[in-house]
Amino acid sequence: MSLSEQASDVVPFFSDESEAEGPEDQGGGAPRPQEEEEASGVSKVRALLTVLVLCYINLLNYMDRFTVAGVLPDIEHFFGINDEKSGLLQTVFICSYMFLAPVFGYLGDRYNRKYIMSVGILFWSLVTLASSYTPKEHFWALLLTRGLVGVGEASYSTIAPTIIADLYVKAKRTNMLSIFYFAIPVGSGLGYIVGSQVGNIAHDWHWALRVTPGLGLVAVVLLLLVVQEPRRGAIEARTDLHHTSWLTDVQLLSKNRSFVLSTLGFTAVAFVTGSLALWAPTFLFRAAVVNGERPPCFEGNCASTESLIFGTITVVTGVLGVSSGVIISRKLRTRTARADPLVCAAGLLLSAPFLYLAIVFAQSSTVATYIFIFLGETFLSMNWAIVADILLYVVVPTRRATAEALQIVFSHLLGDAGSPYLIGVVSDSLQQTDSFLWRFRSLQLSLLLCSFIAVIGGGFFLLTALFIEHDRNRAESPQEPTGDEPIVVPKSGRSTRVPVSSVLI
């Protein structure tokens, strides 16, 4: 029985096979040999265009996410809030994003992924636009809308990597994922830059939140017109694939040691990046005031210069980090199958001392601070594409969206969902007076936590290296039987596949 026949038993109206013709539909009884790129039902050109569209949306995703950080001092002044409430802006977004990820992971493993992403992106764009009209007296409304933005982004982030995985394999998949994950640091940096500069030009931070909604509508149009749904697992020549229940998926993923340990390692990455993403421009601005390089600011776009510099650093270090991580990993793979988790571990362990030095030197040397931030963020960015690749090759195709969702849940739950708020709470608790000196020192001490978390994350990736070979071989071999594995039974004069649990004996 062909893969398309198996998949067609699951929700035919929104079937993930609806846009790709099966080999038996192309004019012959037996499937004819196909090239690797065509096995998914998507042509080479369309596959490349699909990756480019997904990269554009991922860039927009992170640009929207960090626009708020680029104008955070202005938001604090506008609403009259402290560091603790400022940290909530990122936390509520991550929480909604995190808790809805499993829902979209479940849907993404079973229904047409293009349509799910289109609806989610449209919703996120409309809510982002609505958040830009929040009045001064209703800070809760800004928190609510930022939380709803996470709903739309969860529909995209859990699904997009699985589409790339169904279009390419091996080295090509790694290359395409590296392009896809370039958008994370580049989009984050553009969020700081666009947010701060648009707010500066318009003399109103609200306008910073009105840039990405229009670009989001363009993304929806591109998704519907360009992206084509590939067949799941066909590119890997898998004929043994079948859907299992969500509980079975979770149970099997919890026994996948490489998946669990790499998720814990990525949680450390999320903690550090989440903390720096929200607080770095504000910290750098306070350092400049304490050093006498800038006067105290209470109105207007206070941290526009720091947001511009930090955004530029994030873009450049992201490109360098992601590309160097992929290149080093590819060269090491010829020597050891454990190259990917080892590179991830090295990136985190090397980033820790540089981030520590950047925070410590902020009061004495601005130049040294920016240099150490540059080095620390470069090593930190080495993980992005590699962690995604690890997940895709240690998990079977029909379980990947669920795995992506679970990784999002745990990495954000223990990582950047709480880290911005935690940093803000610690900063407020350490602050003895309301002077700029104490506001700087309290935030400085709380940010030192990032370096220690990075070391712990490096340890988890080292543990991942112990199991990566076994788990990859297991995922690439025929699926092991489960309690609900489909069996062939006669039905209406022909054979069909049904779960064991549906057969009454």
Side-chain angles (χ1 to χ4, degrees):
M1 177 170 288
S2 69
L3 179 64
S4 59
E5 287 177 325
Q6 296 176 34
S8 64
D9 291 335
V10 183
V11 194
F13 184 76
F14 287 111
S15 170
D16 49 44
E17 309 301 330
S18 59
E19 298 181 301
E21 296 181 358
E24 61 273 17
D25 296 329
Q26 298 177 6
R32 64 178 176 84
Q34 293 178 304
E35 292 185 8
E36 187 176 89
E37 291 82 355
E38 297 176 349
S40 62
V42 181
S43 67
K44 292 181 180 180
V45 174
R46 181 64 71 90
L48 180 59
L49 290 175
T50 295
V51 172
L52 293 177
V53 170
L54 295 178
C55 288
Y56 165 72
I57 301 173
N58 203 33
L59 185 145
L60 185 62
N61 178 0
Y62 280 86
M63 179 177 166
D64 175 81
R65 188 179 300 187
F66 293 112
T67 297
V68 169
V71 292
L72 185 61
D74 307 297
I75 293 176
E76 287 184 325
H77 296 147
F78 183 80
F79 290 104
I81 56 177
N82 57 17
D83 288 348
E84 178 181 348
K85 290 185 177 179
S86 298
L88 281 175
L89 285 170
Q90 187 76 347
T91 297
V92 295
F93 162 78
I94 294 297
C95 284
S96 64
Y97 171 74
M98 170 185 67
F99 287 121
L100 284 167
V103 177
F104 289 108
Y106 176 88
L107 297 175
D109 275 335
R110 291 159 177 82
Y111 300 94
N112 190 295
R113 293 167 286 189
K114 181 174 79 171
Y115 298 136
I116 296 172
M117 290 190 295
S118 299
V119 173
I121 293 169
L122 179 61
F123 180 79
W124 136 39
S125 300
L126 294 176
V127 173
T128 299
L129 181 63
S131 69
S132 69
Y133 293 96
T134 306
K136 189 173 185 178
E137 299 79 16
H138 301 292
F139 175 68
W140 63 266
L142 181 62
L143 287 177
L144 176 63
T145 52
R146 289 309 295 173
L148 292 175
V149 168
V151 177
E153 292 199 17
S155 68
Y156 173 78
S157 298
T158 56
I159 294 173
T162 68
I163 292 181
I164 297 176
D166 286 332
L167 292 172
Y168 299 96
V169 292
K170 299 181 180 180
K172 289 184 179 179
R173 176 189 291 172
T174 302
N175 291 338
M176 292 302 170
L177 284 173
S178 65
I179 295 174
F180 178 78
Y181 283 103
F182 272 135
I184 294 181
V186 174
S188 302
L190 288 177
Y192 296 117
I193 295 171
V194 172
S196 61
Q197 299 310 303
V198 170
N200 192 33
I201 293 173
H203 302 290
D204 185 357
W205 65 267
H206 292 85
W207 282 97
L209 301 180
R210 297 168 187 167
V211 176
T212 55
L215 299 175
L217 296 178
V218 174
V220 174
V221 174
L222 290 174
L223 261 179
L224 295 174
L225 296 182
V226 177
V227 174
Q228 184 175 336
E229 182 80 11
R231 297 191 196 92
R232 302 177 199 272
I235 195 72
E236 298 167 87
R238 298 294 294 271
T239 60
D240 61 300
L241 299 176
H242 57 268
H243 290 286
T244 55
S245 67
W246 186 80
L247 290 177
T248 301
D249 289 346
V250 174
Q251 181 182 12
L252 293 174
L253 287 170
S254 67
K255 296 178 180 178
N256 189 325
R257 291 170 293 187
S258 295
F259 169 72
V260 172
L261 290 170
S262 62
T263 297
L264 291 173
F266 187 66
T267 299
V269 177
F271 186 99
V272 176
T273 55
S275 301
L276 294 177
L278 187 70
W279 290 114
T282 302
F283 172 71
L284 293 169
F285 164 69
R286 293 179 185 178
V289 173
V290 171
N291 293 338
E293 299 173 2
R294 295 193 62 181
C297 174
F298 300 99
E299 293 182 0
N301 196 0
C302 296
S304 61
T305 301
E306 287 74 23
S307 295
L308 177 62
I309 297 174
F310 184 73
T312 304
I313 289 175
T314 302
V315 171
V316 175
T317 58
V319 173
L320 290 176
V322 173
S323 58
S324 61
V326 170
I327 292 171
I328 294 171
S329 176
R330 184 182 301 157
K331 291 183 177 180
L332 286 178
R333 284 177 185 176
T334 60
R335 299 183 178 183
T336 174
R338 300 174 179 178
D340 288 349
L342 291 177
V343 172
C344 290
L348 273 174
L349 294 175
L350 288 172
S351 69
F354 289 115
L355 292 177
Y356 180 88
L357 291 173
I359 296 168
V360 170
F361 272 87
Q363 190 172 356
S364 57
S365 174
T366 302
V367 175
T369 298
Y370 281 118
I371 291 174
F372 289 132
I373 288 177
F374 185 94
L375 294 172
E377 284 210 318
T378 299
F379 288 118
L380 193 64
S381 297
M382 291 173 64
N383 293 274
W384 290 107
I386 302 176
V387 172
D389 204 13
I390 289 174
L391 182 148
L392 293 173
Y393 65 63
V394 300
V395 177
V396 295
T398 54
R399 210 167 285 141
R400 284 172 180 160
T402 298
E404 289 278 356
L406 291 177
Q407 188 172 84
I408 285 173
V409 168
F410 287 102
S411 63
H412 291 307
L413 177 65
L414 302 176
D416 55 351
S419 64
Y421 179 70
L422 177 63
I423 296 297
V425 170
V426 173
S427 175
D428 283 343
S429 66
L430 294 174
Q431 188 174 324
Q432 297 184 9
T433 67
D434 196 32
S435 66
F436 258 94
L437 177 61
W438 269 107
R439 293 177 69 186
F440 162 74
R441 284 183 176 174
S442 61
L443 186 56
Q444 181 186 42
L445 293 173
S446 61
L447 284 173
L448 289 175
L449 182 62
C450 294
S451 297
F452 299 100
I453 296 297
V455 173
I456 295 173
F460 281 122
F461 279 119
L462 290 176
L463 291 175
T464 304
L466 299 177
F467 307 104
I468 194 75
E469 292 181 82
H470 173 268
D471 291 330
R472 180 170 191 169
N473 292 333
R474 188 175 181 180
E476 292 176 350
S477 63
Q479 287 196 44
E480 295 183 0
T482 65
D484 207 31
E485 182 182 9
I487 61 173
V488 178
V489 298
K491 181 180 179 181
S492 302
R494 66 184 182 90
S495 297
T496 187
R497 294 171 67 90
V498 299
V500 173
S501 60
S502 68
V503 180
L504 299 178
I505 300 177

